[in-house]
Structure formats: C-alpha cells, structure tokens
Amino acid sequence: MNTMFDRYAGIVFFAIGTTFVIGSRSISTSAYGSNVGANIFPMMLGAFLALMSIRLIYDTFRKQQAKKHKENLDYKRFGIIFVAAVLYALFLEDIGFVISTFLFLMIGFQTMQKGRVWVSLLISAAFSYGVYTLYVNGLDGSLPGFPAWLGF
C-alpha cells in the first residue's frame, strides 16, 4: 500500500464527494411519478464517497509503511470489470435494472473469484431484485423494469 498516494487520493475523493453533496442541493427535490427526488441519489453517493475517503485518510495515518514492494497489477480483471460496467450503463434501459444488475454482479463475482457459481447466482439475484423492490415499492422511486419482450 502506497500511503502517500492513498492519502492524496482520499483528499481528492473527499472533495469530489463534498462537491456532489453540495451540487445535489440545486437539483429538483421531486420527480414526475416518484416520491424520491432526483437529488437523493447523488447526495447519498457523495456522502458515501466522502465518508469512505475520510476512512481512507484515517487509515493512511494509522498504518506505518513497513516495506516498499511493487505489487503486480491485474489488468485483465480490471479490463473485464471495466467493460462490464460500461455495458451495464449502456444496456440498463434496454434490459432493465434487475437483469442488467444481475449480469453485472455475476461477471464481477466470477471475475474476482472463480467458482462458487451458486453462491454468486444467489447473491446477485437477491441483491438485484431486492434493491429494485425496495426502491420501487418501498421508496416509490422509478427504475427501468423488466424489458417488454419478456412479457412482464
């Protein structure tokens, strides 16, 4: 772990998260067909990013850098997850939130740790459907549903 890089990255991410929180206050508080306004999501993401960056900065001050060693970067895994994230963003509207999130999580889980397919299937399905149900039914928000060609 390069503590200096992590410290500076934490400061930059804290500034970005704070900017998101401040910027989200100027977004409309209500959206058509939704009780959850368009400002909630960027505000929550900004607050989460700011909190996680504070944790990162705190950890860099706590840990002593015992020895310097070069870590091998795994470009293959990064590339797979990056392409999956881009495809997730591109196809979210076309195939819906539940299916696209399920596929993205499955690809991510299997990329990070091969095997345990049943566990990955269960977690991906429960998370994607659970978040969709909670957000749409519990918070009266709107997310892309299932595609029309499925007949739901």
Side-chain angles (χ1 to χ4, degrees):
M1 176 166 90
N2 187 345
T3 57
M4 289 304 291
F5 176 78
D6 287 346
R7 188 174 301 145
Y8 291 132
I11 293 168
V12 169
F13 287 135
F14 179 76
I16 292 170
T18 304
T19 304
F20 264 69
V21 171
I22 293 169
S24 69
R25 298 189 67 186
S26 65
I27 299 174
S28 173
T29 57
S30 66
Y32 178 74
S34 175
N35 290 336
V36 178
N39 65 339
I40 297 297
F41 191 63
M43 184 182 298
M44 289 187 333
L45 283 180
F48 183 71
L49 182 61
L51 289 173
M52 291 294 103
S53 62
I54 289 170
R55 174 63 192 243
L56 179 62
I57 294 168
Y58 174 73
D59 283 345
T60 61
F61 283 113
R62 268 188 50 214
K63 290 188 178 184
Q64 299 289 334
Q65 190 170 3
K67 62 179 179 178
K68 286 189 174 184
H69 60 84
K70 186 175 181 180
E71 293 183 26
N72 293 333
L73 301 177
D74 196 351
Y75 292 110
K76 181 180 176 184
R77 285 184 182 177
F78 173 77
I80 291 170
I81 291 178
F82 181 76
V83 168
V86 170
L87 291 174
Y88 175 72
L90 288 175
F91 291 113
L92 182 65
E93 290 287 328
D94 297 332
I95 63 174
F97 177 82
V98 175
I99 296 173
S100 60
T101 303
F102 171 78
L103 292 173
F104 175 71
L105 289 174
M106 277 298 297
I107 291 169
F109 289 153
Q110 290 303 305
T111 301
M112 296 309 291
Q113 182 179 6
K114 293 200 187 297
R116 298 178 48 170
V117 176
W118 288 108
V119 174
S120 297
L121 279 168
L122 181 65
I123 293 171
S124 299
F127 180 82
S128 59
Y129 187 73
V131 167
Y132 179 80
T133 303
L134 177 69
Y135 189 76
V136 172
N137 296 334
L139 297 174
D140 291 331
S142 60
L143 286 173
F146 289 99
W149 49 267
L150 279 179
F152 288 116

